Amino acid sequence: VGSGMRTGPPGTRSLLVFALAVGVSTSMASPLYSESAKATARIESAQHYEELKRQGVLGLKRDVSVRARRWEAGATVPEGGKVVHLIRHGQGFHNLLGDLYRDFGREVDSTGKDEEGPYVRPELVDPPLTAVGRDQAKALRPVTASLSGIDLVVVSPLARAIQTAQLAAPQLRAKVPWIGHPDVAENSGKNTCDKRRLKSEIADDFPYIDWNLLESEEDDKWGPTRETARSVSDRGHAFLLWLRARPETQVAVATHSAWLFSLLNTCITCDDPELASWFMTGELRSLLLEYVDAPRVD
């Protein structure tokens, strides 16, 4: 990389060259969480909270409410309750580019306001994990191995989430059902990194996963504008109701940061506010969910 790239914010072309050079030369030596990644988590957490607030979805009331508390392995699950092991995917190439843009002083917004940022680049449709992201996923193996009661794995149809589940819990591949669920995909629209590939391509790459819930060959949910916060919240709540109706008790869910942030701040009431905070890449949190039906009014 030429020295001229370090004198100020680079152009897009030189920034991509720099990103590739960093990925090749330092990925094996990189810590799982760089200072840039930590800064990005703080920035995007604040951006998304303000967006949820602006769109009026905080404090939504529904006929079925869901409460959550931290779950410890081996604890009793009350009747009607569900244990969910929520996993944010490991670092993807879009995450790496976002960190690099910010390192060079470029502002990045992941809520759909950017017109030229890293998340809208056409090269980043459904980006895979970086080497660091794969290491983050593998670092979860001792945790998933200790969770002996998992009887279902649910994954987003985006590659980075599927790869994370594969690497984090290889022992579950032939042991329990794996289901691809469109309702746990990342907030859709505008950001090309959140557009899925063709259903047939995904099924070819991951044939052991049940993709019957994907209704269309193409990603018909993705468009030029960002999905509304209410839409994301509604499909998050729909997923919780789907989960309630399933026979399994413990479920691992590999998904995305903004979707998780919406779920835990607009669909679920957490007894500890820390449970609703922004996930780092490759982070897992185990929650006990309890469903409460609103009283019937005759």
Side-chain angles (χ1 to χ4, degrees):
V1 177
S3 61
M5 288 185 63
R6 297 183 175 88
T7 61
T12 301
R13 181 180 177 86
S14 59
L15 184 61
L16 286 172
V17 172
F18 179 75
L20 291 172
V22 169
V24 170
S25 63
T26 67
S27 60
M28 294 303 292
S30 296
L32 292 184
Y33 299 103
S34 67
E35 290 305 315
S36 296
K38 294 174 186 176
T40 289
R42 292 191 293 270
I43 292 167
E44 295 195 346
S45 173
Q47 289 174 345
H48 281 267
Y49 185 82
E50 287 304 311
E51 192 64 16
L52 295 178
K53 183 178 178 182
R54 185 185 72 81
Q55 294 195 38
V57 294
L58 298 173
L60 288 175
K61 304 296 183 183
R62 293 184 168 94
D63 289 342
V64 179
S65 60
V66 184
R67 300 171 182 167
R69 63 178 185 268
R70 197 178 303 277
W71 184 81
E72 302 294 339
T76 301
V77 180
E79 183 177 356
K82 297 285 185 179
V83 174
V84 290
H85 307 288
L86 299 174
I87 305 170
R88 181 189 175 188
H89 63 79
Q91 184 195 62
F93 277 94
H94 65 302
N95 301 126
L96 173 61
L97 277 183
D99 293 346
L100 290 170
Y101 269 60
R102 291 189 177 96
D103 285 347
F104 277 104
R106 298 275 292 272
E107 292 187 5
V108 178
D109 188 291
S110 64
T111 66
K113 297 182 177 68
D114 274 359
E115 300 296 333
E116 298 181 347
Y119 304 137
V120 300
R121 293 196 58 83
E123 304 93 337
L124 286 181
V125 173
D126 197 10
L129 296 178
T130 65
V132 169
R134 295 177 68 84
D135 287 344
Q136 290 171 343
K138 292 175 186 176
L140 293 176
R141 287 180 179 177
V143 179
T144 65
S146 71
L147 301 172
S148 59
I150 295 176
D151 41 17
L152 174 66
V153 176
V154 178
V155 297
S156 157
L158 295 174
R160 57 193 184 267
I162 308 167
Q163 291 173 337
T164 298
Q166 280 188 152
L167 293 167
Q171 76 280 5
L172 297 178
R173 282 272 295 272
K175 185 178 179 182
V176 305
W178 288 57
I179 297 177
H181 203 307
D183 280 347
V184 306
E186 183 59 296
N187 302 8
S188 187
K190 188 157 186 184
N191 293 352
T192 51
C193 60
D194 300 326
K195 182 179 181 180
R196 71 164 170 85
R197 294 175 298 146
L198 297 178
K199 177 180 177 179
S200 56
E201 290 183 9
I202 300 170
D204 282 345
D205 285 348
F206 308 103
Y208 61 93
I209 299 175
D210 180 350
W211 295 110
N212 287 327
L213 291 177
L214 293 189
E215 297 178 350
S216 60
E217 171 70 356
E218 296 188 355
D219 188 351
D220 56 3
K221 301 292 193 296
W222 191 91
T225 59
R226 198 67 170 158
E227 183 179 9
T228 67
R230 182 59 193 249
S231 172
V232 177
S233 180
D234 284 349
R235 62 182 173 88
H237 191 257
F239 171 71
L240 293 173
L241 297 182
W242 176 87
L243 196 63
R244 185 188 198 185
R246 294 284 307 184
E248 298 87 2
T249 300
Q250 283 197 48
V251 182
V253 182
T255 179
H256 308 267
S257 57
W259 186 86
L260 285 164
F261 196 67
S262 171
L263 184 80
L264 295 169
N265 285 278
T266 74
C267 303
I268 296 174
T269 301
C270 298
D271 70 345
D272 179 358
E274 184 63 25
L275 292 177
S277 64
W278 193 261
F279 275 61
M280 295 295 292
T281 49
E283 182 179 355
L284 181 154
R285 296 178 197 168
S286 296
L287 278 62
L288 172 63
L289 303 183
E290 296 183 90
Y291 295 81
V292 181
D293 295 297
R296 292 186 59 182
V297 178
D298 296 325

